[in-house]
Amino acid sequence: TLGDILMGSDYGANVEVNPERSFKYLMMAAQQEHAEAMFCVGLCYSSGKGTPQDNDASMEWIRKAAEMGFEPAIEFLKGDDCGNEEQQMQQPQHSNEAYALYQQAQNEDGAKRVMLLQKALNGGCTDALVDLSSCYRYGDGTTKNMELANSYMQQALDLGNPRAQTDYGYRLFIPDPGEPQNYAEAEKYFLLAANQGYTEAQVYLAQLYKEVKDYDNAFHWANIAIQDPNVEEYYSCEHGETHTLLAKCYIIGRGTAQNVQLGMRYLQNAIDMYNHEALLFAADIYFDNQYGIRQDKNLAFKYYKEVAEPGHNPEAMFKLGICYYYGEGTKQDTNTGMEWIRKAADKEYFDAELFIDEVNNAPTASINNIAETQTETQTFEITDVKVSTNGHKEIYFDIEWQGPK
């Protein structure tokens, strides 16, 4: 589309970008009354991309496109006709005023937010490109328009906007339903932003490297991101995510020298932020006396319960069920234990399915009978039950069949 030509390359392609040449070709098409080209020329004048910024020329070309019935241009101009209150607002004359409008837009929603973002962009606030891209992508306050959303995003990418780089990288890292995942491209865009000191990109980059088990780079970027005191407060990742990653790196010794004491400090910070991954990892440590940490099955039970009760984490549900079933860290209650184990099995958690299968296939009494159990024809003894708490998500049953009595 011309929205891609505007950038000099397809969305995300590895082609050299030449905004000036792109503007030249767009202008040639616009002068031949191509409506989309007219609109794109207007956006170029608005952002100063490929040509000197000129707000008057920007509005002139966008109006021409709207007069030809080009829907994105019509939507763009709605900001000038949203009602008397909006009509009284002055077009921003300098970047400070444009940025003030941009900040005001963050406290609004719907059509008014879109209008304020458009005015901020017209005044030279290029941060508004990313917000407008999102508005048109999801139909937030305006008609959904993927072509216009991509055009805004691509402009921001070509300007080297770190927020755009991060947002686009995130779409590739954790895509919307039906969209492709591409870790290599996500890494590329995260790196562009991270190397500009953009903390959110550093956080996501660390998580991406963790996913591909590149723990050296995961630790490197998490350790940089953590220097921002607000790292866990105003970014869209789950609170405590970076602290949890650093805790695991230090405690296990992945990507850095093992330092359990420092790792436990990071882990406690993440627990204080109610990070579920941190709670589950800590529960495993306390349950099984891992890494030299004092065993505390009561605390492990508490943490498993906190993660399991919202009903989203089958691993926590299963381990909570095991605690109840065997009376580990709480009073034994086999019925409640099986309820939680069945909930985990309903979410297709393999360990829970295996446990239920073992119980159902026991010749007589339930599998929690650690002592010898007899039937008319045979005797069996459970000699070892290991509930996994080391992250491998495995449960072992060692059953010795003694044969007929």
Side-chain angles (χ1 to χ4, degrees):
T1 67
L2 280 173
D4 294 326
I5 296 173
L6 172 64
M7 298 305 117
S9 67
D10 289 338
Y11 209 1
N14 296 318
V15 178
E16 181 182 359
V17 174
N18 190 324
E20 289 75 18
R21 183 173 59 187
S22 298
F23 176 78
K24 173 184 175 181
Y25 292 140
L26 284 170
M27 179 59 80
M28 291 171 61
Q31 289 171 342
Q32 295 179 36
E33 298 188 347
H34 189 290
E36 183 180 356
M38 291 177 176
F39 178 62
C40 290
V41 165
L43 294 179
C44 286
Y45 275 124
S46 175
S47 63
K49 180 183 176 305
T51 186
Q53 188 177 28
D54 186 333
N55 288 332
D56 291 337
S58 169
M59 296 306 296
E60 179 182 352
W61 280 107
I62 292 173
R63 288 192 182 99
K64 285 181 179 180
E67 288 170 1
M68 295 186 68
F70 188 61
E71 187 64 28
I74 296 171
E75 290 288 332
F76 186 96
L77 291 174
K78 281 183 178 180
D80 290 332
D81 299 302
C82 288
N84 293 333
E85 179 181 352
E86 288 101 0
Q87 288 177 346
Q88 293 173 0
M89 300 181 65
Q90 298 296 315
Q91 183 75 14
Q93 300 299 316
H94 51 75
S95 60
N96 288 341
E97 187 174 349
Y99 185 72
L101 286 173
Y102 175 76
Q103 290 297 317
Q104 185 180 347
Q106 306 311 308
N107 299 319
E108 301 290 347
D109 53 24
K112 185 171 183 179
R113 179 169 182 264
V114 174
M115 179 273 300
L116 289 167
L117 289 170
Q118 289 170 338
K119 286 186 175 291
L121 177 60
N122 292 343
C125 180
T126 56
D127 282 345
L129 287 166
V130 183
D131 297 74
L132 285 168
S133 174
S134 179
C135 289
Y136 283 104
R137 180 179 177 83
Y138 298 108
D140 181 11
T142 187
T143 303
K144 185 176 180 179
N145 187 316
M146 291 301 295
E147 185 175 27
L148 187 54
N150 290 346
S151 177
Y152 280 131
M153 176 58 79
Q154 193 65 62
Q155 287 184 74
L157 289 172
D158 272 5
L159 289 169
N161 185 291
R163 184 163 158 246
Q165 294 162 345
T166 303
D167 282 11
Y168 186 54
Y170 188 81
R171 293 179 192 173
L172 296 165
F173 179 35
I174 305 178
D176 288 337
E179 295 191 358
Q181 187 176 59
N182 190 325
Y183 276 15
E185 285 291 290
E187 178 191 23
K188 181 179 78 173
Y189 283 100
F190 284 153
L191 280 170
L192 288 171
N195 284 323
Q196 295 186 62
Y198 197 66
T199 307
E200 188 174 2
Q202 295 166 351
V203 169
Y204 290 141
L205 194 56
Q207 295 299 321
L208 185 151
Y209 285 128
K210 183 188 78 169
E211 287 295 314
V212 299
K213 295 181 170 46
D214 182 350
Y215 296 112
D216 289 344
N217 274 316
F219 174 79
H220 171 76
W221 285 107
N223 201 40
I224 291 175
I226 207 71
Q227 305 307 315
D228 183 342
N230 297 313
V231 64
E232 307 287 14
E233 297 300 324
Y234 56 87
Y235 296 119
S236 53
C237 56
E238 183 184 357
H239 280 190
E241 203 164 59
T242 304
H243 282 84
T244 303
L245 175 54
L246 286 172
K248 287 188 170 183
C249 286
Y250 278 118
I251 292 171
I252 300 172
R254 286 176 175 169
T256 188
Q258 188 176 41
N259 187 331
V260 175
Q261 185 177 6
L262 179 57
M264 290 301 293
R265 288 205 296 268
Y266 277 117
L267 188 61
Q268 188 58 55
N269 287 339
I271 289 171
D272 291 343
M273 298 176 205
Y274 202 64
N275 181 278
H276 280 193
E277 183 182 355
L279 285 162
L280 189 55
F281 182 57
D284 288 346
I285 290 174
Y286 287 117
F287 186 93
D288 211 24
N289 192 27
Q290 295 181 23
Y291 308 108
I293 301 300
R294 175 182 55 84
Q295 189 174 56
D296 188 340
K297 291 190 175 181
N298 291 332
L299 187 56
F301 169 80
K302 174 186 174 184
Y303 288 161
Y304 286 141
K305 195 168 188 285
E306 288 183 21
V307 181
E309 283 186 332
H312 306 303
N313 191 308
E315 181 181 354
M317 293 175 181
F318 171 66
K319 291 179 177 179
L320 178 64
I322 290 295
C323 287
Y324 275 118
Y325 201 90
Y326 291 108
E328 300 284 2
T330 187
K331 183 178 179 181
Q332 187 176 26
D333 184 339
T334 56
N335 290 332
T336 300
M338 285 305 298
E339 285 179 12
W340 280 107
I341 292 168
R342 288 192 185 96
K343 287 180 181 180
D346 288 343
K347 292 183 176 294
E348 300 182 349
Y349 189 69
F350 176 75
D351 294 351
E353 294 173 332
L354 176 61
F355 187 93
I356 291 171
D357 184 61
E358 292 287 346
V359 170
N360 290 338
N361 289 323
T364 54
S366 66
I367 202 168
N368 68 307
N369 290 329
I370 304 302
E372 186 178 67
T373 303
Q374 295 185 352
T375 70
E376 292 181 359
T377 60
Q378 58 190 336
T379 300
F380 75 93
E381 181 180 9
I382 300 174
T383 59
D384 192 21
V385 178
K386 297 178 182 178
V387 181
S388 170
T389 55
N390 61 7
H392 295 297
K393 301 181 179 178
E394 296 176 351
I395 182 167
Y396 303 89
F397 297 91
D398 293 332
I399 302 178
E400 292 187 356
W401 296 93
Q402 308 295 339
K405 283 269 185 171

